[in-house]
Amino acid sequence: MIDFHTHILPGIDDGSKNSGMSIDMLQNLRDEGVTDVVLSSHFYASQNSVEKFLVHRSVSLEHLQAALDTDGRTLGLKLHLGAEILFMDSLDKVDGLEAMAIGGTKYILLEMPFTKWSSRNLDTVYKIKCNGFNVIIAHFERYLGFGNGENELDELQRMGCILQMNAEDFNGFFAKRKSVKFFETGRASLLGSDCHNLETRPPKIKHAYDAIGEKLGRGAVEKILSLGHKILENSRYLEV
Ligand SMILES: [Fe+2]
């Protein structure tokens, strides 16, 4: 399994607080059967420069690696460095976004505004696409309560954006049924845990893959994984 959305890197955002917690989070995902983890720390272009973020991310990764070395265990996971880039209207003009792309690929994880999107917002996404990026929309289901609906999602998909869902939205009978439907209709294509810690936003994703497999058959899970592996095909990853 692949987890496309995590906040596991220590001390860089509101996710993992320290390397010990990061190792526990990685181990939980590994125990669930995850093989590939995208490290998607928050990046806010309005508050932070790309350069500063990259330095911060490298330092965080060094801490994690040092802790793993000390620990002496091999987790058997591939880590793909990326970022969860928060949308802003001039994001298409920000230099250096390619350094945020997952594992040096052309795929970026984009967090859209938690408001009703304007046509200008969608134009910016289109311009980012035109700059040569493949855009993965982070947890698209979370924007639906803000007046965004079928039209906005249709438009993003027409542009070629890939829509990612959070595994936590598969918790509970009705939520699970609704979430599986998004995969059945071709709206959603990827899964992420969006884990931030071990308790309230935990590294759990297997239940979401399982729910899809149970309702739609193994082929539906294979489809998610095959797209995931295609995205990560040329990704530079770290083996831990
Ligand atoms: Fe996130």
Side-chain angles (χ1 to χ4, degrees), residues 4-5 40 42-43 45 83-89 91-92 97 100-102 107-114 117 121-122 124-129 133-140 143 156 159 161-164:
F4 259 95
H5 185 158
S40 50
H42 286 292
F43 172 68
E84 180 181 11
I85 305 167
L86 181 62
F87 178 92
M88 63 173 191
D89 267 321
L91 192 63
D92 57 303
L97 274 194
M100 307 281 176
I102 299 169
Y107 289 87
I108 59 167
L109 184 67
L110 181 66
E111 179 174 38
M112 291 296 284
F114 290 93
W117 303 332
N121 294 154
L122 293 166
T124 302
V125 178
Y126 183 67
K127 286 179 193 158
I128 294 169
K129 289 275 307 170
F133 293 106
N134 296 309
V135 178
I136 301 171
I137 303 292
H139 43 58
F140 77 90
Y143 314 113
L156 286 174
M159 288 180 212
C161 294
I162 296 168
L163 307 189
Q164 176 256 316

Side-chain angles (χ1 to χ4, degrees), residues 5-7 40 42 84 109 111 138-139 142 166 194-196 201:
H5 185 158
T6 72
H7 298 271
S40 50
H42 286 292
E84 180 181 11
L109 184 67
E111 179 174 38
H139 43 58
R142 289 182 59 193
N166 278 1
D194 200 4
C195 59
H196 280 64
R201 301 185 74 184

